[in-house]
Amino acid sequence: MATIEECRAALEKLSDNMSRAEGDVRAAAALDRSVSCRITDLDVTFVGRMTAGRITVHDTLQGPPREKAEIRLTMTGDDLIALVAGELNFAKAWGSGRVRLEAGLRDLFQLRKLL
């Protein structure tokens, strides 16, 4: 089972990958939205902001998020690490319910380029 530190490092790596993206992926990464990433097996939520092509984590909360972020991810810590490492296909994980992504329709269209 992944640790909180490993999950936070995976989010940092995702942020770094987004900042180096080009083309359509870069445009998708340029959204300015509040984000939350709920790690179910650790019962923690990382909250922050996606802006200027990066994700900045502002806080790590016990339990579910207190406020509804504009972009919300839910998964296990191991799945987060596998997604960022390229070992887990996002579309298959989302389709099977291993990963939940909730956002407005316009954001979902943009995010599909990123994920």
Side-chain angles (χ1 to χ4, degrees), residues 13 15 19 26 34 39 45 53 63-64 67 70 96 105 108 114:
K13 182 177 180 186
S15 181
S19 71
R26 178 77 177 161
S34 60
I39 307 300
T45 303
E67 296 179 18
E70 294 166 297
S96 70
L105 188 58
L108 286 174
L114 181 64

Side-chain angles (χ1 to χ4, degrees), residues 71-86:
I71 298 171
R72 300 168 303 283
L73 285 164
T74 304
M75 67 193 82
T76 67
D78 289 340
D79 284 344
L80 172 62
I81 290 169
L83 279 171
V84 173

